[in-house]
Amino acid sequence: MITEDARHLLSQVEEDLQYCENITFSRDELLMIHVEIEKLFDKYNVSKKETTALNPYFDVDKQNEHDITEFLTDLATQGSKPPTCKQYDTGIHTFLKWYDNRNLREATEEDIKAYLRYRMDEVGIKPSTAEQNRSVLFSFYSFLHSKEYIQVNPMIMIPLIKFKHAVRVPLTKTELEMVRTACKNNRERALVEILYSTGARANEVSNIHVCDVNLANRTVFIREPKGFKQRTVLLSEKAVYYIREYWKERDRKGTSDFLISNMVCTDGVMGQLSKPGIEYMVKTIGERAGLNRSLFPHLFRHTMATHALNSGMGIDEVGGLLGHANINNTRIYAKRNVTTSNYKALVCK
């Protein structure tokens, strides 16, 4: 005899057939189909399986957005900052577009491997970027698996994409002077000296408020760094001088709560200079300086760390100024840039 589950499924098939447009069956025809399917199913042990294909009201787009939103909310709850969540959001939607907006829960290991090959072979992304793409999807599908939205994690057998870490060579003393000479105004000079003397990240500099700066003590309080570890960094005498000169000029145009503001003045107030704005300013200064390589904010961070270590500052002190939670991150600078004698003295402490 056919099982009760099979009878339920046959009944569902009959109901679903009635939803089909442009197809009509008589009552006798439906009964004949019913009998033939029952004969076929009578040979098998049929069990119930949930599927979206039989539900005419299923909205795959709505489910995809629900899964993505829930995943991003979970990331934020665990402490990920908005820029990080945005990167994950972009990465997942890039895959979804390639996947023709199909059900993300149905993606297979082969689908994701094909996507990563497409990104590397046709789009031309670097292996390091492909690894970021893989990492995003790994986190997303691990989340879906933990929520039991999928039974098998398609990422589990996809290995890390190996790539060579680029070695960032710090600015030489000559290159640093070329950059300083290329600055056209006190705003640019102040930015360069802040980046170099503090070793702060571009997003950290963007978030520095006037109230965070103590020019008398030559210190700056970093309030929103990566990893939520607040710290105090140091300003050089040159940085203090150009900040004062820049603020004098800015005060004649308006006011701002930020250490370095943008150029737009609305009702006498100038707003925050964004991270992309800082990156663009630095890139432009580098092009103007005639360097034979790209200039970007993080290069000042490497340069500051290298010069500090070479001048004899302890690796723990440099790590504290850089905001490294793990001193091994600071050792990267020591390994790559410090002279052999200084490095041995530092790492053997």
Side-chain angles (χ1 to χ4, degrees), residues 43-56:
K43 302 175 183 178
Y44 302 94
N45 181 18
V46 180
S47 59
K48 183 179 180 181
K49 181 179 179 181
E50 292 294 335
T51 173
T52 58
L54 296 178
N55 184 355

Side-chain angles (χ1 to χ4, degrees), residues 253-268:
K253 300 176 182 178
T255 61
S256 179
D257 292 333
F258 295 93
L259 170 58
I260 301 289
S261 61
N262 60 34
M263 299 293 287
V264 179
C265 186
T266 305
D267 296 329

Side-chain angles (χ1 to χ4, degrees), residues 68-81:
I68 295 172
T69 300
E70 189 174 1
F71 168 66
L72 296 175
T73 301
D74 184 70
L75 277 183
T77 302
Q78 294 183 41
S80 295
K81 297 185 117 180

Side-chain angles (χ1 to χ4, degrees), residues 17 40-41 72 101 145 197 226 236 238 244 253 288 299 313:
L17 285 171
L40 178 63
F41 279 20
L72 296 175
N101 293 308
H145 187 255
S197 63
K226 185 178 180 181
S236 65
K238 283 186 178 180
R244 283 196 173 114
K253 300 176 182 178
R288 202 186 299 146
L299 190 56
M313 183 179 288

Side-chain angles (χ1 to χ4, degrees), residues 5-17 34:
D5 283 341
R7 291 186 184 281
H8 175 76
L9 179 59
L10 289 171
S11 176
Q12 184 65 47
V13 169
E14 182 177 342
E15 291 177 8
D16 288 340
L17 285 171
H34 187 109

Side-chain angles (χ1 to χ4, degrees), residues 4-219:
E4 188 62 27
D5 283 341
R7 291 186 184 281
H8 175 76
L9 179 59
L10 289 171
S11 176
Q12 184 65 47
V13 169
E14 182 177 342
E15 291 177 8
D16 288 340
L17 285 171
Q18 295 177 16
Y19 284 110
C20 296
E21 294 182 0
N22 303 321
I23 300 178
T24 56
F25 295 98
S26 68
R27 180 67 180 174
D28 290 339
E29 288 172 327
L30 286 174
L31 287 173
M32 289 176 61
I33 293 172
H34 187 109
V35 170
E36 291 300 316
I37 294 177
E38 184 174 294
K39 288 180 181 179
L40 178 63
F41 279 20
D42 198 33
K43 302 175 183 178
Y44 302 94
N45 181 18
V46 180
S47 59
K48 183 179 180 181
K49 181 179 179 181
E50 292 294 335
T51 173
T52 58
L54 296 178
N55 184 355
Y57 303 108
F58 175 70
D59 188 336
V60 66
D61 293 332
K62 187 175 181 179
Q63 178 181 275
N64 284 339
E65 289 306 317
H66 166 270
D67 289 350
I68 295 172
T69 300
E70 189 174 1
F71 168 66
L72 296 175
T73 301
D74 184 70
L75 277 183
T77 302
Q78 294 183 41
S80 295
K81 297 185 117 180
T84 301
C85 293
K86 179 64 177 176
Q87 290 176 351
Y88 277 89
D89 186 28
T90 300
I92 297 169
H93 276 97
T94 300
F95 171 68
L96 179 59
K97 182 178 179 180
W98 175 88
Y99 196 52
D100 293 329
N101 293 308
R102 288 178 286 164
N103 191 342
L104 286 171
R105 298 185 186 183
E106 297 176 356
T108 65
E109 178 182 332
E110 290 70 27
D111 291 328
I112 294 169
K113 284 181 176 178
Y115 168 69
L116 294 173
R117 285 195 299 270
Y118 161 78
R119 294 281 290 164
M120 287 189 285
D121 297 342
E122 297 189 35
V123 179
I125 63 174
K126 297 178 181 178
S128 58
T129 305
E131 170 55 23
Q132 291 176 359
N133 293 169
R134 186 208 64 82
S135 179
V136 166
L137 293 178
F138 179 85
S139 297
F140 176 63
Y141 279 103
S142 295
F143 171 79
L144 294 186
H145 187 255
S146 70
K147 300 290 288 187
E148 298 184 351
Y149 293 155
I150 56 176
Q151 293 184 347
V152 178
N153 185 347
M155 298 297 303
I156 201 68
M157 296 301 293
I158 299 179
L160 275 66
I161 299 173
K162 296 180 179 180
F163 62 93
K164 291 183 179 180
H165 291 271
V167 177
R168 287 187 179 134
V169 180
L171 293 169
T172 65
K173 295 291 181 68
T174 300
E175 287 177 323
L176 184 57
E177 290 307 315
M178 290 171 65
V179 170
R180 285 168 167 160
T181 302
C183 294
K184 285 186 172 182
N185 52 56
N186 288 326
R187 181 169 176 259
E188 291 184 351
R189 296 184 187 99
L191 177 60
V192 165
E193 298 302 335
I194 291 166
L195 287 169
Y196 172 59
S197 63
T198 65
R201 305 173 180 92
N203 65 310
E204 294 173 346
V205 173
S206 174
N207 285 309
I208 296 175
H209 289 61
V210 171
C211 61
D212 299 325
V213 182
N214 188 326
L215 294 182
N217 294 333
R218 290 169 43 192
T219 59

